[in-house]
Amino acid sequence: MAHESPTFSPLYRQIRNLIVQALESGEWQPGQSIPSEQELALRFGVSQGTVRKAIDELAAENILIRRQGKGTFVSTHQDPRAVFRFLRLKAINGGPVLPKSMPLECMRGKAGQEAARNLGIEPGSQIFIVRRILKFEGKPVVIDEMYLPADVFQGLAIEQLKEWQGSLYSLFESRFGVRMVRATEKIRAVAAERAVAEVLGVAENTPLLSVERVAYSYGDKPVEWRRGLYSTADHFYINELS
């Protein structure tokens, strides 16, 4: 009788996962420093080299940030350098991209099949549906529709969205303890329907980018499903490949 071979992960990967578990539990908050490599090596009973390799991987994933002479810190959406990490639009003329979020709606609903699948929840689960416009230099460029699990974002209201001055992800981090650490996107071209065209100030049937995103928190937990329509008359979508 054949026996299934167990799957082993490298020791540094196991330490990486233990650090992520500590982050997920809130032991170290966004923006805070984590213990030194020496302290973590003692805590986990491994060499400093193993801890260093685990931290290197987390730094490459933008979950942790190394600061020369200061230590290693938990990444935060409050960091000005990270505010637009998930926004891939750049101005064609090379000018700065400083969007202003204009929330339109925040309402409760029940997850349909598609939302449930993308958020990893049961169909019919309570969700928040948020709609907003992103304006660049006063001009509407993006229409977003976001689906958020209600149990994760308890108390979310349109007033919060309108009053908040930073990015939505910094709001989610500050008020709800939810940090987005990675996202996947699907992009395709679509024609602008009349209602969308009017909002974006383009002609009906103008080509738009349809960008569908699932954002994940620690432990690869999906916490946002977003569908956006992008006008690229004055902007382009950029993706850095490495």
Side-chain angles (χ1 to χ4, degrees):
M1 181 179 177
H3 293 280
E4 186 175 336
S5 298
T7 301
F8 295 101
S9 61
L11 185 56
Y12 82 89
R13 185 63 58 79
Q14 296 176 41
I15 301 306
R16 174 206 177 278
N17 293 339
L18 289 172
I19 293 173
V20 170
Q21 287 175 22
L23 293 169
E24 192 173 7
S25 70
E27 182 175 349
W28 308 309
Q29 294 294 317
Q32 292 183 345
S33 63
I34 68 170
S36 68
E37 290 177 0
Q38 184 177 14
E39 291 173 302
L40 290 173
L42 288 171
R43 169 173 171 166
F44 297 128
V46 297
S47 70
Q48 281 184 239
T50 298
V51 171
R52 186 174 301 117
K53 194 169 183 180
I55 290 176
D56 284 345
E57 187 167 283
L58 290 169
E61 297 170 11
N62 291 301
I63 293 176
L64 297 177
I65 296 177
R66 292 187 184 278
R67 292 181 183 158
Q68 189 68 33
K70 295 182 179 180
T72 302
F73 294 77
V74 183
S75 294
T76 172
H77 292 294
Q78 304 291 341
D79 188 335
R81 294 166 293 184
V83 169
F84 303 123
R85 184 162 78 87
F86 290 88
L87 182 63
R88 300 292 181 170
L89 279 184
K90 300 291 183 183
I92 291 175
N93 63 12
V97 175
L98 299 173
K100 181 174 179 57
S101 179
M102 307 288 292
L104 301 176
E105 288 182 291
C106 178
M107 55 189 179
R108 273 187 174 269
K110 292 185 178 181
Q113 293 290 339
E114 197 172 7
R117 184 181 71 253
N118 282 290
L119 293 173
I121 58 180
E122 291 295 321
S125 298
Q126 290 290 312
I127 58 172
F128 284 107
I129 303 170
V130 175
R131 294 190 178 94
R132 64 99 179 256
I133 295 171
L134 272 184
K135 289 186 175 182
F136 296 77
E137 298 181 334
K139 181 179 179 180
V141 175
V142 178
I143 298 175
D144 271 329
E145 186 170 85
M146 288 156 270
Y147 301 79
L148 309 164
D151 62 337
V152 175
F153 294 92
Q154 292 182 30
L156 181 64
I158 188 68
E159 291 77 19
Q160 285 178 313
L161 299 172
K162 288 183 175 180
E163 291 170 3
W164 189 255
Q165 297 301 309
S167 70
L168 277 185
Y169 283 177
S170 66
L171 169 66
F172 294 164
E173 178 184 287
S174 299
R175 298 287 175 86
F176 302 98
V178 178
R179 171 161 173 77
M180 310 300 191
V181 298
R182 76 175 187 89
T184 60
E185 289 186 335
K186 299 176 183 177
I187 303 173
R188 62 190 180 92
V190 299
E193 297 178 354
R194 180 177 299 176
V196 171
E198 289 177 356
V199 172
L200 293 179
V202 298
E204 189 175 354
N205 293 320
T206 295
L208 303 174
L209 283 185
S210 169
V211 182
E212 181 181 335
R213 175 191 299 173
V214 178
Y216 300 82
S217 188
Y218 299 122
D220 260 359
K221 179 181 180 181
V223 285
E224 178 204 42
W225 175 43
R226 177 187 301 208
R227 296 187 293 192
L229 292 172
Y230 292 42
S231 170
T232 56
D234 299 310
H235 298 81
F236 60 86
Y237 187 99
I238 185 169
N239 192 16
E240 298 176 5
L241 305 177
S242 60

